[in-house]
């Protein structure tokens, strides 16, 4: 390790939030550091990226430095005092001081507040006192930097003959409240000056508190460019969770590393306390990171296996190319040329990497998986997770893959939440086990398409390839088109392992594709839970004690497998996702709402781009799934959360999956099971005071807006027209109207939305509002036959039978549209006319309306009818005959119909209807005549 630089990255202590629990965490961290030192890992630097205090009070900093940092530095030794660096965070601001500053003014392009000059220092004098307690307590060599003209610090230290540059910036200058996201700046000029001071160092590390995405959008690109051009490692905190991400700015790579909170809650509370160990090998130009979390059950700091992306993991360390090094530069060039890079949403794995996962899981990770967390390689391949029989059967399909001479394609079909993804990953791991010349190309974002032109360059001919795709229904056609394009060198060296919900596979007609022409195609189906699988599952639970067994702890050990298998059979009779439904029932059946509550509590602290939290994201998903509305797509969820669609998968769907909260197909998003969704909604309403109806309204608006923004919204018509009607049919009339009004507000010039909302009003008895929509519409708005029929129906129910006859008659006329009226529109119109003519007869006792009512029923009887409409026409004829009407011929019926329209018009037409149909007596019904006579002739022939 001659040229290896090591550090300990801590963040977010919140000293003063909970004195006793905070001090205990001090002890745990110090004991852990001592243990690592005994193991040979002694840090060269200690970095603390903000929120040392909870309220920015002097007493809190005294506790931090005397109660923790002095003791930690003594434990480390190694002259660490001179290599300890801290920066402030939002909790290091004394918010009682100088609150009345204007962020907009300071963030203006012309502002000089954050220049590293005398004038800049003078301009930000209002802000500096808010950091006074932090600054005066600072025990590092950089003390006073943030109250100086520079506004940041930079230091270059020589260690093992290598120069290490450390820069500290203040991202919390403008922190005010809970709405800081997108309104912060560290001062671009101050950042640039600090970076210039360390530009010649071999390793360049920048400390800040906030993720760069929290900065003012107008400054993000320039600061990222500075970071990229200087090849820095940016350490930060704030979001209370670990994450590392190679990022590009100015055409170059830098590495952003986020530490979890050192203290945010007591041991058994929902939040997790964490830290990150890091080292830079300057000889191999590699960065190695190890995130750790305090696990109360084990009273130990354990590797956080789900913190960073699996792609970079090897054992308990994550490996990244050093920014500014040749590997990083090459990586940057590759990513700028998509044809030669791993496509977005895909990852490559080799057998030796997967073999590292063949070990037991930590309790927290195992229980999270048992609760429904989305499987990763680490969980699926762990020895803690049993292999169901289907895994061996699926893997055996590929045992002769190298000699097959043709592509092998196997698809695993199952209902949702039956464990297909876990089985697919386990089978994939088994297929390549012990085969160094095999690679797995796996799609890790189900929303990404299978694009042959992107995939082909990835398949290096020196390897055998297993392409692994979950939710494969939308990729199926592209795969069949891709396989014939394989070069001769790859023929027989590229195989596919697919998984899909059986309903989606059938719905996409994937079985109809010509698989046998391009591959050796085989299907496996995962259904039901046999006794052996049930026994293996409950045994795995038992390995983790009460936490793993849940409610099953009270069941006799010898009967647990039988209870699970029986529950799965019961679930299969009524539920989708029988296996997961059974797991929920037997592990959490006694208190599923409590399980939901804990999940929501955990997610309240997880901010996402756009300013919302994962708690809010899950609320939207659960609301839809609880109602059985399974068409919430990614663009809609991204829109309602104000989260960029490009970041939804990584920052919303992935963490929700890790929390066993949500899952997704290539098209739609759900909770892990509808029973969970219902429990979540119950808790949201009763304990969090959420109006779930407002969530539906917001989603409807988001769907329209997403489509307007150019995103493809699957099942858009559901949102536009059927969504509100679902709630009307469910008896939630007020909510249906709110949704209809919200959708119309976004599509105010679409006559179909006026008709839709009018129909909702009409069916809830609000006929005046229904009529008002049409009467107040823009005069220039043109409408179709259906809209005039809806208007006429509403006029009739509102007491204007004349307006009803005129408008419905107009909807059937040639004057309304250049296309002929069709059978469906004719039967509805004639039935509606019968109702309106009946009202006119009751009001005026004029035989013309009585006879015309029978006449339009005769015309309607010539058409193709459903049972309900046929009954309406029979009723109208029977009632007419009772008061003296004679049943006319078809020719006579048309004459009676025309006379009734003229008679209605003579009574008097309201101004709104008259503006549409000023001369109703002369409407032309040639199209209706042709339809009726053709239908009558057809009936006669039959």
């Amino acid at each position: 390790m001659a040229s290896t630089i090591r550090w300990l990255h801590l963040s977010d202590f919140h000293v003063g939030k909970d004195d006793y629990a905070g001090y205990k965490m001090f002890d745990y961290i110090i004991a852990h550091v001592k243990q690592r030192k005994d193991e040979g890992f002694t840090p060269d630097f200690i970095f603390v990226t903000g929120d040392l205090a909870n309220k920015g009070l002097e007493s809190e900093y005294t506790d931090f430095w005397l109660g923790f940092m002095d003791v930690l530095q003594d434990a480390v030794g190694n002259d660490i005092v001179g290599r300890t660096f801290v920066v402030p965070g939002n909790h290091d601001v004394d918010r009682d001081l100088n609150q009345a500053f204007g962020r907009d003014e300071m963030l203006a392009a012309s502002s000089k507040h954050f220049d590293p000059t005398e004038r800049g220092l003078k301009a930000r004098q209002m802000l500096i006192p808010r950091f006074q307690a932090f600054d005066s307590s600072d025990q590092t060599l950089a003390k006073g930097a943030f109250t100086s003209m520079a506004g940041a610090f930079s230091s270059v230290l020589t260690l093992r003959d290598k120069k290490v540059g450390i820069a500290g910036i203040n991202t919390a200058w403008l922190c005010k409240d809970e709405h800081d996201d997108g309104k912060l700046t560290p001062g671009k000029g101050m950042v640039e000056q600090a970076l210039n001071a360390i530009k010649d160092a071999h390793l360049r590390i920048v400390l800040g508190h906030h993720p760069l995405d929290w900065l003012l959008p107008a400054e993000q690109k320039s600061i990222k460019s500075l970071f990229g051009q200087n090849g820095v490692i940016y350490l930060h905190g704030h979001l209370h969770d670990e994450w590392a991400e190679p990022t590009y700015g100015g055409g170059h790579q830098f590495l952003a590393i986020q530490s979890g909170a050192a203290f945010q809650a007591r041991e058994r509370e929902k939040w997790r306390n964490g830290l990150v160990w890091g080292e830079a090998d300057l000889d191999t130009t590699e960065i190695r990171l190890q995130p750790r979390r305090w696990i109360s059950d084990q009273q130990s700091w354990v590797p956080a296996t789900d913190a960073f992306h699996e792609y970079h993991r090897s054992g308990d360390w994550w490996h990244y190319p050093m920014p500014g090094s040749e590997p990083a530069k090459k990586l940057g060039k590759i990513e700028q040329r998509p044809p030669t890079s791993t496509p977005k949403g895909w990852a490559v794995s080799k057998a030796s990497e997967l073999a590292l996962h063949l070990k037991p899981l930590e309790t927290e990770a195992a229980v999270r998986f048992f609760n429904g967390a989305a499987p990763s390689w680490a969980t699926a391949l762990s020895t803690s997770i049993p292999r169901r029989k289907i895994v061996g059967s699926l893997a055996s399909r590929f045992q002769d893959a190298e000699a097959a001479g043709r592509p092998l394609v196997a698809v695993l079909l199952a209902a949702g939440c039956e464990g297909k993804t876990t089985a697919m990953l386990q089978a994939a791991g088994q297929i390549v086990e012990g085969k160094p010349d095999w690679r797995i190309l796996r799609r890790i974002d189900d929303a990404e398409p299978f694009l042959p032109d992107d995939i082909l360059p990835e398949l290096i001919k020196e390897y055998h390839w297993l392409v692994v795709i979950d939710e494969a229904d939308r990729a199926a056609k592209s795969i069949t088109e891709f396989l014939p394009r394989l070069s001769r060198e790859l023929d027989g060296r590229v195989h596919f392992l697919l998984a899909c919900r059986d309903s989606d596979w059938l719905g996409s007609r994937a079985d109809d594709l010509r698989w046998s022409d391009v591959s050796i195609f085989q299907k496996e189906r995962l259904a039901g839970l046999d006794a052996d699988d049930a026994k293996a599952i409950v045994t795995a639970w038992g390995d983790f004690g009460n936490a793993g067994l849940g409610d099953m702890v009270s069941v006799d050990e010898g009967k647990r497998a039988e209870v699970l298998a029986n529950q799965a059979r019961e679930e299969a009779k009524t539920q989708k996702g029988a296996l997961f439904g059974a797991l929920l029932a037997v592990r959490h059946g006694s208190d599923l709402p409590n399980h939901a509550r804990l999940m929501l509590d955990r997610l309240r602290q997880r901010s996402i781009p756009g300013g919302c939290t994962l708690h809010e994201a899950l609320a939207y998903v659960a609301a839809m799934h609880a109602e059985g509305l399974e068409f919430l797509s990614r663009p809609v969820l991204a829109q309602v959360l104000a989260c960029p669609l490009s970041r939804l998968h990584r920052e919303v769907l992935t963490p929700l999956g890790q929390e066993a909260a949500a899952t997704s197909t290539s098209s739609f998003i759900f909770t892990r099971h509808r029973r969970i969704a219902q429990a979540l909604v119950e808790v949201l309403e009763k304990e969090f005071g959420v109006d779930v109806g407002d969530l539906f309204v917001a989603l409807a608006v988001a769907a329209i807006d997403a489509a307007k923004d150019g995103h493809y919204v699957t099942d858009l018509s559901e949102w536009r027209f059927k969504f509100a009607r679902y709630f009307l049919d469910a008896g939630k009339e007020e909510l249906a109207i709110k949704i209809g009004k919200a959708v119309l507000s976004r599509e105010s010039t679409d006559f179909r939305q006026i008709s839709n909302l009018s129909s909702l009003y009409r069916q809830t008895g609000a006929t005046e509002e229904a009529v008002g929509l049409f009467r107040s519409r823009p005069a220039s708005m043109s409408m179709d036959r259906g809209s005039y029929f809806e208007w006429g129906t509403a006029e009739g129910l509102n007491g204007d039978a004349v307006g009803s006859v005129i408008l419905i008659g107009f909807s059937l006329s040639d004057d309304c549209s250049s296309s002929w009226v069709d059978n469906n529109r004719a039967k509805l119109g004639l039935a509606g006319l019968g109702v309106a003519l009946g009202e006119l007869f009751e009001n005026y006792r004029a035989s013309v309306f009585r006879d015309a009512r029978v006449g339009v029923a005769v015309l309607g009887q010539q058409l193709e009818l459903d049972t309900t409409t046929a009954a309406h026409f029979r009723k109208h004829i029977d009632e007419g005959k009772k008061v003296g009407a004679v049943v006319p011929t078809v020719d006579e019926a048309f004459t009676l119909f025309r006379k009734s329209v003229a008679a209605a018009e003579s009574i008097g037409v309201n101004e709104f209807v008259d503006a549409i149909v000023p001369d109703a007596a002369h409407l032309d019904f040639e199209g209706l005549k042709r339809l009726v006579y053709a239908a009558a002739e057809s009936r006669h022939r039959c």
Side-chain angles (χ1 to χ4, degrees), residues 287-298:
I287 302 297
R288 295 184 285 269
L289 304 173
Q290 186 181 86
R292 292 204 173 220
R293 294 194 187 118
W294 177 255
I295 304 300
S296 177
D297 290 349
Q298 302 181 39

Side-chain angles (χ1 to χ4, degrees), residues 338-341 343 450-458 478 482 485:
T340 60
S341 71
F450 181 89
L451 300 174
D453 288 340
D454 288 352
I455 297 297
L456 274 171
E458 185 68 26
S478 295
F482 165 83
R485 295 179 57 185

Side-chain angles (χ1 to χ4, degrees), residues 498-513:
L498 313 177
C500 191
R501 296 178 185 229
D502 46 14
S503 57
D504 292 339
W505 187 261
L506 292 173
S508 67
R509 303 182 66 85
D511 270 342
D512 297 340
L513 298 170

Side-chain angles (χ1 to χ4, degrees), residues 522-581:
Q522 303 163 92
K523 286 194 296 185
E524 291 275 1
R525 191 171 298 277
L526 178 60
L529 186 68
D530 66 19
D532 291 339
D533 282 347
K535 183 176 181 179
I537 290 171
V538 298
T539 299
W541 294 349
D543 290 341
F544 294 91
N546 293 1
L549 287 165
D551 291 355
M552 285 284 270
V553 72
S554 62
V555 178
D556 181 83
E557 185 175 354
K559 296 183 178 179
R560 288 170 182 166
E562 181 182 353
V563 169
L564 175 60
N566 289 339
Q567 185 64 42
R569 282 192 288 272
E570 288 301 310
E571 292 283 331
K573 296 176 183 177
T574 57
Q575 299 275 353
K576 292 181 179 178
L579 175 61
F580 190 60

Side-chain angles (χ1 to χ4, degrees), residues 254-289:
F254 67 93
L255 181 61
I257 303 169
Q258 175 179 297
S259 174
F263 176 76
Q264 56 181 325
R266 285 177 172 248
E267 288 187 81
R268 290 182 295 162
E269 290 189 84
K270 49 196 171 290
W271 298 287
R272 299 175 292 191
N273 303 316
L275 51 81
V276 177
W277 291 96
E279 63 180 18
D281 189 329
L282 301 181
D283 290 332
T284 63
T285 64
E286 182 177 61
I287 302 297
R288 295 184 285 269
L289 304 173

Side-chain angles (χ1 to χ4, degrees), residues 239-240 264 270-271 601-607 613:
L239 295 184
H240 300 180
Q264 56 181 325
K270 49 196 171 290
W271 298 287
D601 279 339
R602 286 196 301 273
L603 297 174
R604 290 183 82 178
Q605 307 304 312
R606 302 281 297 274
S607 297
T613 65

